[in-house]
Amino acid sequence: MSFRISLYLGAIITSLLFSSCKGTIKESATMLIYGGNIYTVDDTQPMVEAVAVKGNTILFAGSLAEAEQYKSDQTQLLDLEGKTMTPGLIEGHGHFMGLGYNELNLDLSNTTSYQEIVDAVAERVKTTAPGEWITGRGWHQSKWKELPTEIVNGFQTHDLLSEVSPNNPVYLGHASGHAGFANAKAMEIAGLMELSKEGISKFEVEGGEVMRDAMGRPTGIFNELAVSLITKHIPDNTPAKNIEAFEMAVAACHKNGITGFHDAGIGRETITLYQEMKAKDKMKIRLYGMLTGWDKVLLNEWYEKGPMIDPDHLVTIRSVKLNCDGALGSRGAWLLESYTDRPGHFGHETLPMNFVEETALNGLQYGFQVCSHAIGDRANREVLDRYESAFAKFPQLATDHRFRIEHAQHLHPEDIPRFAQLKVIPAMQAIHMSSDRSWAIDRLGEQRIKEGAYMWQSLLKSGIPIVNGTDVPVEPLNPIASFYASVTRKTLQGTPDGGYEPAERMTREQTLKSYTLDAAYGAFEEDIKGSITIGKLADFTIYDQDLMKVPEKELLNTEIAMTIFAGEIVYTK
């Protein structure tokens, strides 16, 4: 063999060896996480020892020995030190700016009496200029330890509130967001304190109710669509205040381990704000926005241009939110039979059902998911009927519609299997059961509660996933409380023993999935998030104890230790 041929063959062999070695060189991770219980919500490997991240993406999930092959001098090492990690939690139904403004305005969610509300307003009056509005949210008369002496239809009257705030208009939203409480000054501005010559016609609001006393005078309580009689007079928020509320909402999400948020009903101004925040690199949360169904002009604009599916997975808009009835606490939920504690009253249809069907048809044609708020059994049935009609008209477009019903709290037994049959996703907030069940039986009676209220396990067994959440600011954002409610069916005080209707409890595995992979599925995003799987986004929630194994009595003590968003630590306790 000549020297030239030998040299040539040597070069080929060297090249092949180099190529072979090059093929085995691993990519370098920017972060390596290990040293704790890591639950993936991925059926192929439910638990792993370590996770390697590159930038904002999961590079590897598996054994620590294999993960270390991705380590370099630049890799950030994160030892969990025995803590527990899951995919980043997704708030499946909330109101993002409502969360932020709840941080800025009067937060009445922890008040336990009417007097506490009066005291809170009296304190705020001291630092508020005369004529300036005082607003807040979170009171719920069914959660008070005792009701005031003077009540009308189960609600307080404005007199005590008006006494402490004679020069400031006051409007306090009910925890549900479906009713409000105004003082005399606010009602005076709205022109409601004097009966008109035409009688009481000014109090008649389709889809709503102005509570009045025996003399026909308004009590200060406005239910469902009637709240607009007051709210239209409240000055708009300033751009600076909107940004402040946005930033507070982001911080609250990180503190609670939330990396994704389904924003249930946003308008033109909010969409503009979100786009501005993304442009300024302040969008440290993944928002899935639902267009508000109240603005038909807005809907038509979006139908024309189509969904906005963000390649950066930060702000996506491909759904429409419809408000079809009220809340149970204010007796606004639309029922098939009248309220047990208010005979003859069936709640409110707050949106014409023909518009629900029209929106469902438009959603199928233009590529938008429809998410309809329905709490009462009649509202749920009516919405399912309209969805079914739309699917029948466009069967070729309804193969993967993922239409949702938000809340789906109280169902007629005959309608429970229809969710799976129609592939309609129930987005249910488990914490509502914990907060409401003790008094909900007064509204619905025992039979309706046992046969159709908060039917989580029945729905799951029928073959449809559940999207979990809190409906913040209706309830606090805390996902641990909702997790606890899901697996125990108890109040946060741990009552009753065994839980309410325990057969409907979720398992811990089902609950975690409802806050991660199933929530992602409910937004067409299961391919990019919701599980710790190679190629998905590096969003993680880390807890100070193993919420999948700790005894039930210790579950509520679980705290968020750290939140990782897009491969970066954004919160540490």
Side-chain angles (χ1 to χ4, degrees):
M1 183 185 293
S2 70
F3 175 75
R4 181 174 293 179
I5 294 173
S6 180
L7 190 66
Y8 177 69
L9 288 172
I12 292 175
I13 291 168
T14 301
S15 175
L16 288 171
L17 284 170
F18 178 76
S19 297
S20 175
C21 291
K22 188 176 180 182
T24 62
I25 293 174
K26 301 287 187 182
E27 292 184 76
S28 177
T30 52
M31 180 183 285
L32 181 61
I33 308 169
Y34 62 95
N37 298 311
I38 302 176
Y39 294 92
T40 65
V41 196
D42 183 333
D43 289 340
T44 61
Q45 48 175 3
M47 293 189 74
V48 295
E49 289 182 323
V51 176
V53 171
K54 183 175 183 179
N56 68 350
T57 306
I58 298 169
L59 185 61
F60 173 82
S63 71
L64 178 57
E66 289 180 275
E68 286 183 330
Q69 298 178 51
Y70 297 91
K71 186 171 65 173
S72 72
D73 293 341
Q74 284 73 46
T75 303
Q76 178 183 1
L77 301 180
L78 179 58
D79 186 348
L80 295 175
E81 298 178 338
K83 298 182 182 69
T84 293
M85 187 171 90
T86 70
L89 298 179
I90 300 168
E91 169 57 58
H93 177 109
H95 306 276
F96 194 74
M97 293 303 291
L99 166 62
Y101 270 102
N102 217 43
E103 301 279 319
L104 290 174
N105 298 330
L106 276 178
D107 182 359
L108 305 171
S109 57
N110 293 318
T111 52
T112 59
S113 69
Y114 179 25
Q115 188 59 51
E116 286 186 25
I117 291 176
V118 172
D119 292 344
V121 171
E123 195 63 29
R124 185 59 63 94
V125 166
K126 295 176 183 178
T127 57
T128 306
E132 189 176 333
W133 280 81
I134 294 173
T135 58
R137 178 173 174 170
W139 64 272
H140 199 309
Q141 80 289 350
S142 293
K143 299 178 184 179
W144 292 344
K145 293 177 180 177
E146 59 181 3
L147 286 173
T149 307
E150 192 171 341
I151 60 172
V152 175
N153 291 332
F155 289 93
Q156 72 278 12
T157 62
H158 71 86
D159 303 286
L160 289 177
L161 179 67
S162 298
E163 283 179 18
V164 300
S165 55
N167 302 314
N168 295 96
V170 178
Y171 178 76
L172 309 173
H174 192 266
S176 66
H178 289 263
F181 184 36
N183 72 343
K185 189 68 175 178
M187 290 188 285
E188 178 187 317
I189 290 171
L192 299 172
M193 290 305 285
E194 297 291 335
L195 293 180
S196 66
K197 293 179 181 178
E198 293 80 21
I200 59 172
S201 59
K202 68 172 74 176
F203 298 129
E204 300 301 324
V205 179
E206 186 175 355
E209 180 181 16
V210 179
M211 298 282 183
R212 289 176 283 124
D213 62 20
M215 301 292 291
R217 297 170 299 193
T219 65
I221 298 293
F222 296 80
N223 206 1
E224 302 304 341
L225 299 187
V227 301
S228 65
L229 295 173
I230 300 295
T231 57
K232 66 183 179 183
H233 297 282
I234 301 175
D236 292 336
N237 293 312
T238 64
K241 197 172 183 182
N242 284 335
I243 292 172
E244 186 181 2
F246 173 87
E247 291 176 340
M248 293 187 82
V250 171
C253 284
H254 292 167
K255 184 178 179 180
N256 284 280
I258 303 296
T259 60
F261 196 108
H262 297 185
D263 200 356
I266 58 175
R268 195 182 310 274
E269 290 183 3
T270 302
I271 295 169
T272 300
L273 173 66
Y274 291 170
Q275 290 172 330
E276 290 175 358
M277 293 299 97
K278 182 188 173 185
K280 294 179 180 178
D281 197 28
K282 291 186 176 182
M283 187 59 71
K284 303 298 183 182
I285 189 81
R286 304 192 193 283
L287 288 175
Y288 184 75
M290 306 176 193
L291 298 167
T292 177
W294 298 124
D295 190 341
K296 295 181 183 180
V297 175
L298 179 71
L299 295 186
N300 288 329
E301 288 176 9
W302 278 88
Y303 293 153
E304 189 173 331
K305 62 185 177 183
M308 182 178 80
I309 301 172
D310 187 358
D312 298 320
H313 314 300
L314 294 174
V315 185
T316 292
I317 297 174
R318 66 177 299 174
S319 63
V320 177
K321 165 75 181 305
L322 301 178
N323 289 78
C324 301
D325 74 339
L328 195 68
S330 57
R331 298 179 185 82
W334 194 20
L335 305 182
L336 290 165
E337 298 178 17
S338 68
Y339 280 81
T340 301
D341 58 358
R342 193 177 171 189
H345 182 70
F346 294 84
H348 302 283
E349 175 191 9
T350 56
L351 194 71
M353 287 298 110
N354 61 355
F355 184 66
V356 175
E357 184 165 353
E358 177 187 323
T359 306
L361 291 168
N362 284 328
L364 292 174
Q365 293 177 88
Y366 298 109
F368 285 87
Q369 176 191 44
V370 180
C371 306
S372 297
H373 164 118
I375 290 181
D377 52 5
R378 180 165 183 186
N380 277 278
R381 173 171 291 181
E382 296 277 355
V383 170
L384 288 170
D385 287 348
R386 296 325 186 277
Y387 284 177
E388 186 171 17
S389 177
F391 301 157
K393 288 179 181 176
F394 292 118
Q396 72 280 9
L397 300 176
T399 55
D400 191 28
H401 56 79
R402 303 198 197 181
F403 280 19
R404 293 167 40 163
I405 289 186
E406 309 300 305
H407 311 308
Q409 282 184 9
H410 308 288
L411 311 173
H412 190 282
E414 293 176 4
D415 292 321
I416 293 171
R418 297 181 67 196
F419 282 82
Q421 291 163 6
L422 298 172
K423 299 180 181 178
V424 172
I425 301 168
M428 307 173 77
Q429 300 72 52
I431 190 63
H432 286 332
M433 192 289 311
S434 180
S435 295
D436 300 356
R437 172 58 181 81
S438 61
W439 54 261
I441 194 166
D442 298 331
R443 302 283 192 274
L444 300 174
E446 186 175 4
Q447 182 178 350
R448 282 187 289 186
I449 283 283
K450 292 185 179 298
E451 292 182 352
Y454 319 105
M455 304 300 285
W456 309 327
Q457 196 58 241
S458 292
L459 286 162
L460 288 168
K461 285 180 177 177
S462 75
I464 197 74
I466 287 176
V467 175
N468 214 327
T470 63
D471 200 10
V472 64
V474 176
E475 300 278 359
L477 184 62
N478 181 9
I480 303 302
S482 205
F483 192 100
Y484 175 84
S486 301
V487 302
T488 68
R489 305 264 310 184
K490 294 180 179 180
T491 68
L492 298 187
Q493 291 71 45
T495 60
D497 290 340
Y500 292 109
E501 292 76 54
E504 293 299 329
R505 287 182 298 207
M506 295 189 220
T507 67
R508 297 196 192 199
E509 289 74 20
Q510 288 170 335
T511 302
L512 180 59
K513 196 177 179 187
S514 73
Y515 249 104
T516 53
L517 191 59
D518 284 348
Y521 176 83
F524 296 89
E525 295 177 330
E526 72 277 13
D527 291 336
I528 58 166
K529 62 184 183 182
S531 66
I532 299 177
T533 303
I534 295 172
K536 289 193 178 184
L537 293 163
D539 299 340
F540 311 116
T541 304
I542 299 169
Y543 316 80
D544 67 349
Q545 61 178 357
D546 191 342
L547 78 170
M548 303 300 287
K549 292 181 179 176
V550 295
E552 179 186 298
K553 63 181 180 180
E554 297 175 24
L555 188 53
L556 274 176
N557 297 327
T558 308
E559 294 186 345
I560 305 300
M562 186 178 291
T563 302
I564 297 175
F565 177 78
E568 295 183 2
I569 298 170
V570 292
Y571 169 80
T572 303
K573 180 174 171 57

